Amino acid sequence: MTKWIEGTVLENKQWTDTLHSLRVDVALESFEAGQFTRLALDVDGEEVSRPFSLVNAPTERPLDFYFIEVPGGVLSPRLSQLKAGDRIKVAPKATGLLTLTQIPPARKLFLLSTGTGIGPFLSVIKTTEVWQRFEHVTLVHAVRYQNELTYQKDIQCVAEKQPDQFHYIPMVSREVSDITLSGRIPAALLNGSIEKWAGTSIDTDSHVMLCGNPQMIQETMEVLMNRGLSKHSRRQPGHISIEKYW
């Protein structure tokens, strides 16, 4: 049984019809950038919980959880209705594989995300450690429509602080935009457009973190492994780290 601590909702920011950021005041144990914890509500007499990444850096408060409201879902529609002052259950200890302490040395770091999968990477790029460890850090955020390119102020702040090391690449797949790449991440790796925008290549001196929908993760891993990169694990160090919530 999960032991919960009770948090208080400070803000429910709505980005689009379905995208929300839930800011929560709660005494969470210390965590690493890139980790996630669980949120829970009592629904019709039953406790329902799901994992959610921590968008905020470990030194930042309140906690920030980025999520999409899933039509017909049990928990997310209720989370989307929470207001300031409402109470929510939070698992006290965060976990996860997308942390800097779990990956081997490399010169370049590529953070490839779709949708709300950008969450853990926003936490990572707000730390000082990532800029001390890597010469180049590239954040790719692939979405369907341009209005889903959220957290722009946070990203711009990082870009201004790290103009030589940081590259942000927004991607849109379902509408034409002259300020983003078009299409999906696997295809953009195959045609070289991501690396062209980043100004550097993905090679064996790189570490790639993937977070997002399972199809993107699987297809991207195949592209990268065909280049000679390998999946990373604690027993067998490699070049590709993934996080699966499904």
Side-chain angles (χ1 to χ4, degrees):
M1 295 291 292
T2 301
K3 294 183 178 179
W4 302 99
I5 51 178
E6 191 172 62
T8 302
V9 175
L10 300 181
E11 181 187 10
N12 187 342
K13 178 177 175 59
Q14 186 165 1
W15 300 94
T16 69
D17 290 344
T18 58
L19 292 172
H20 295 257
S21 290
L22 202 64
R23 277 73 187 249
V24 180
D25 179 28
V26 65
L28 188 75
E29 295 179 18
S30 60
F31 67 93
E32 293 184 66
Q35 291 188 315
F36 65 88
T37 188
R38 300 183 73 86
L39 300 178
L41 292 173
D42 292 324
V43 179
D44 298 329
E46 182 180 353
E47 186 177 83
V48 180
S49 70
R50 298 288 186 273
F52 294 91
S53 291
L54 291 146
V55 176
N56 55 292
T59 56
E60 292 180 322
R61 293 296 183 275
L63 303 186
D64 190 346
F65 300 97
Y66 183 38
F67 69 96
I68 186 168
E69 182 181 349
V70 179
V74 178
L75 183 61
S76 64
R78 289 167 173 82
L79 292 178
S80 70
Q81 296 301 312
L82 292 177
K83 298 178 176 60
D86 287 342
R87 310 295 279 179
I88 187 170
K89 295 178 181 179
V90 183
K93 186 174 179 60
T95 188
L97 302 173
L98 298 180
T99 65
L100 298 181
T101 56
Q102 296 195 49
I103 64 175
R107 193 167 61 87
K108 295 172 284 188
L109 178 66
F110 286 82
L111 307 170
L112 309 184
S113 64
T114 57
T116 56
I118 193 176
F121 300 151
L122 291 170
S123 180
V124 168
I125 63 174
K126 293 177 185 178
T127 67
T128 57
E129 181 186 357
V130 69
W131 308 110
Q132 295 168 348
R133 282 193 57 179
F134 300 95
E135 294 180 19
H136 301 276
V137 177
T138 300
L139 171 64
V140 178
H141 188 203
V143 297
R144 299 168 303 169
Y145 303 102
Q146 192 169 320
N147 68 343
E148 296 170 345
L149 294 169
T150 52
Y151 287 92
Q152 290 299 298
K153 288 184 179 179
D154 297 74
I155 294 168
Q156 182 60 33
C157 182
V158 173
E160 291 173 356
K161 291 179 179 178
Q162 308 294 341
D164 298 324
Q165 289 175 267
F166 180 59
H167 288 85
Y168 167 61
I169 304 176
M171 296 187 65
V172 174
S173 62
R174 295 191 184 178
E175 64 183 6
V176 178
S177 170
D178 57 3
I179 61 171
T180 73
L181 276 181
S182 297
R184 300 174 61 248
I185 288 174
L189 289 173
L190 286 170
N191 66 28
S193 56
I194 284 179
E195 289 154 296
K196 183 177 180 180
W197 274 49
T200 188
S201 61
I202 300 178
D203 52 32
T204 54
D205 202 10
S206 307
H207 198 89
V208 183
M209 289 183 167
L210 306 176
C211 190
N213 71 72
Q215 184 177 359
M216 180 279 289
I217 290 176
Q218 183 60 41
E219 292 179 8
T220 301
M221 283 187 60
E222 291 174 3
V223 172
L224 296 175
M225 293 176 76
N226 285 336
R227 292 190 181 190
L229 278 67
S230 60
K231 186 176 179 181
H232 174 70
S233 68
R234 292 174 181 172
R235 292 185 177 181
Q236 187 66 44
H239 312 93
I240 309 166
S241 297
I242 67 173
E243 193 77 88
K244 289 184 178 180
Y245 295 143
W246 285 266

